[in-house]
């Protein structure tokens, strides 16, 4: 049986008419940079999330970088985050000369442990970046409350994997002062290249971030601040607009697929299933389990043509580039342990029941052997 880890080709076939029409429209008007689809997409995302301001950018990484630049993070500042995440979260901090400060994760959700954050704050702390990992929003109420007790600290949700999820009735990307998401093709809402967006409820910050993404321009050739070339191109915005028409269906399908995994794999020895916190809905950006002997399980699944992925095998505090550029503010034992155990299974709205049953059957066999 042929199974894709994420079946983007099947998704395109379902959306072909809308995607092709959107692309053709851009080709006809020829405004490839900052064309009308850019603002159209931003407005659609504002309406979907409830966030007052959306600023499209070139990638999820650029979104984080521009957000930190907008709040004035600079050399010597500290930003508290998790070590168990994709490198971009810490990369943008280091690029500005600031220091990533790592605290541990919850062992069952793999999201940052909010109870450890306050003890990590120093006079140099400028921001907190919780990562809404695998599609579930972190404990934002607790994190926002910490920031409120410490004026000058901004909370930035790294929502690269959680666009479409909810937290206590609010949409991911609208549960903190700033949020950043990614439209990388494998994300729940992806384009056909790189793209991303920043969300905020602060008009002044929105203006700053919109200027930073176009080289700090307030108007053409008039630069009010240091910026970057961080625009999302019109074609990619058009593709996101086409995909938004199917996004509710895809989110519902992801719930169904995740539910079948959870039911079929419950109670099996040697595996821990994802935990969903009360009041949360996950968009299941990844369906990630934890297994005792990952290398063996991955080998058996690979032999059975079941693709898997590991998100992420080495926490950032153990990466050569960051060992001497970070501050470790708590034990990171959970981060180190889950990095040795996590394994993501195929997940997409277009994964059919026969494919999923085969994955489950092969995983059961791998766990037994």
């Amino acid at each position: 049986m042929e199974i894709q880890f994420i079946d983007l080709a099947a998704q395109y076939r379902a959306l072909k008419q809308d995607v092709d029409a959107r692309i053709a429209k851009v080709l006809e008007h020829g405004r490839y940079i900052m064309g009308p689809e850019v603002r159209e997409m931003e407005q659609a995302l504002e309406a979907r999330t409830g966030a007052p301001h959306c600023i499209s950018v070139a990638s999820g990484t650029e979104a984080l970088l521009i957000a930190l630049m907008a709040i004035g993070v600079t050399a010597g500042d500290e930003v508290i985050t998790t070590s168990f995440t994709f490198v971009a979260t810490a990369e943008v901090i280091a690029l500005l000369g600031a220091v990533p400060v790592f605290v541990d994760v919850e062992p069952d959700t793999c999201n940052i442990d909010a109870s450890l954050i306050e003890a990590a704050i120093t006079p140099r702390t400028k921001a907190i970046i919780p990562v809404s990992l695998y599609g579930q929003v972190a404990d934002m109420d607790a994190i926002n409350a910490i920031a409120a007790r410490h004026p000058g600290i901004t909370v930035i949700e790294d929502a690269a994997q959680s666009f479409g999820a909810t937290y206590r009735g609010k949409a991911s990307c609208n549960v903190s002062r700033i949020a950043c998401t990614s439209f990388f093709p494998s994300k729940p809402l992806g384009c056909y290249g790189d793209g991303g967006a920043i969300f905020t409820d602060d008009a002044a910050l929105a203006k700053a971030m919109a200027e930073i993404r176009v080289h700090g321009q307030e108007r053409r050739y008039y630069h009010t601040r240091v910026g970057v070339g961080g625009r999302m191109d019109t074609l990619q915005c058009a593709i996101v607009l086409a995909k938004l028409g199917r996004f509710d269906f895809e989110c519902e399908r992801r719930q169904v697929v995740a539910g079948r995994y959870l039911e079929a794999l419950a109670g099996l020895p040697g595996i821990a299933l994802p935990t969903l916190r009360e009041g949360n809905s996950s968009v299941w950006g990844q369906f990630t389990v934890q297994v005792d002997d990952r290398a063996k399980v991955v080998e058996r699944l690979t032999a059975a043509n079941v693709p898997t992925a590991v998100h992420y095998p080495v926490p950032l505090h153990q990466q050569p580039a960051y060992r001497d550029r970070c501050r470790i503010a708590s034990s990171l034992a959970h981060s180190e342990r889950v990095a040795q155990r996590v394994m993501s299974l195929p997940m997409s709205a277009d994964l059919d029941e026969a494919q999923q049953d085969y994955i489950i059957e092969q995983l059961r066999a791998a766990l037994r052997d």
Side-chain angles (χ1 to χ4, degrees), residues 321-354:
Y322 294 93
R323 286 180 187 143
D324 299 326
R325 288 185 170 90
C326 69
R327 179 167 71 83
I328 296 174
S330 75
S331 166
L332 299 177
H334 292 315
S335 299
E336 293 172 4
R337 176 169 165 73
V338 297
Q340 296 171 354
R341 302 183 74 233
V342 292
M343 179 186 72
S344 299
L345 299 173
M347 165 58 77
S348 74
D350 298 292
L351 186 70
D352 66 38
E353 288 191 3

Side-chain angles (χ1 to χ4, degrees), residues 229-244:
R231 298 161 298 201
M232 183 172 174
D233 70 68
T234 308
L235 277 168
Q236 299 302 338
C237 291
I239 289 161
V240 170
L241 283 165
K243 286 193 172 188
L244 275 171

Side-chain angles (χ1 to χ4, degrees), residues 91-260:
E91 182 177 52
V92 294
I93 301 168
L95 281 170
L96 294 174
V99 178
V101 176
F102 294 132
V103 299
D104 213 355
V105 297
E106 301 168 337
D108 55 348
T109 68
C110 297
N111 275 336
I112 193 168
D113 187 338
S115 70
L116 302 174
I117 291 174
E118 195 148 26
I121 293 173
T122 73
R124 295 185 298 277
T125 305
K126 200 69 176 280
I128 303 166
I129 304 182
V131 179
S132 295
L133 200 67
Y134 301 147
Q136 177 176 197
V137 179
D139 190 359
M140 298 304 295
D141 282 355
I143 296 166
N144 288 331
I146 292 166
R149 293 193 291 270
H150 297 270
I153 294 179
T154 300
V155 178
I156 303 170
E157 181 195 9
D158 182 340
Q161 298 180 22
S162 62
F163 188 89
T166 60
Y167 173 82
R168 299 181 181 176
K170 294 191 72 175
S172 178
C173 296
N174 189 28
V175 290
S176 56
R177 190 179 182 202
I178 302 174
C180 300
T181 198
S182 168
F183 302 127
F184 188 79
S186 62
K187 301 303 184 192
L189 180 61
C191 57
Y192 290 162
D194 274 317
I198 313 169
F199 300 82
T200 184
D201 60 4
D202 186 308
L205 276 176
K207 181 178 186 297
M209 292 185 289
E211 292 177 5
I212 290 169
R213 74 172 170 183
V214 287
H215 303 284
Q217 289 187 141
E218 183 181 71
R219 58 185 184 272
R220 189 167 176 80
Y221 299 136
Y222 185 80
H223 303 268
T224 57
R225 59 189 83 239
V226 174
V228 297
R231 298 161 298 201
M232 183 172 174
D233 70 68
T234 308
L235 277 168
Q236 299 302 338
C237 291
I239 289 161
V240 170
L241 283 165
K243 286 193 172 188
L244 275 171
R246 192 180 188 243
F247 190 58
D248 284 334
F249 164 79
E250 292 193 1
C251 288
E252 291 168 6
R253 280 288 305 150
R254 284 174 173 270
Q255 302 300 325
V256 171
V257 172
R260 295 188 82 243

Side-chain angles (χ1 to χ4, degrees), residues 66-111:
I66 291 169
L68 291 176
M69 292 173 71
I71 64 170
V73 170
T74 189
D77 290 336
E78 293 185 344
V79 178
I80 298 170
T81 190
T82 165
S83 179
F84 187 66
T85 180
F86 182 61
V87 68
T89 312
E91 182 177 52
V92 294
I93 301 168
L95 281 170
L96 294 174
V99 178
V101 176
F102 294 132
V103 299
D104 213 355
V105 297
E106 301 168 337
D108 55 348
T109 68
C110 297
N111 275 336

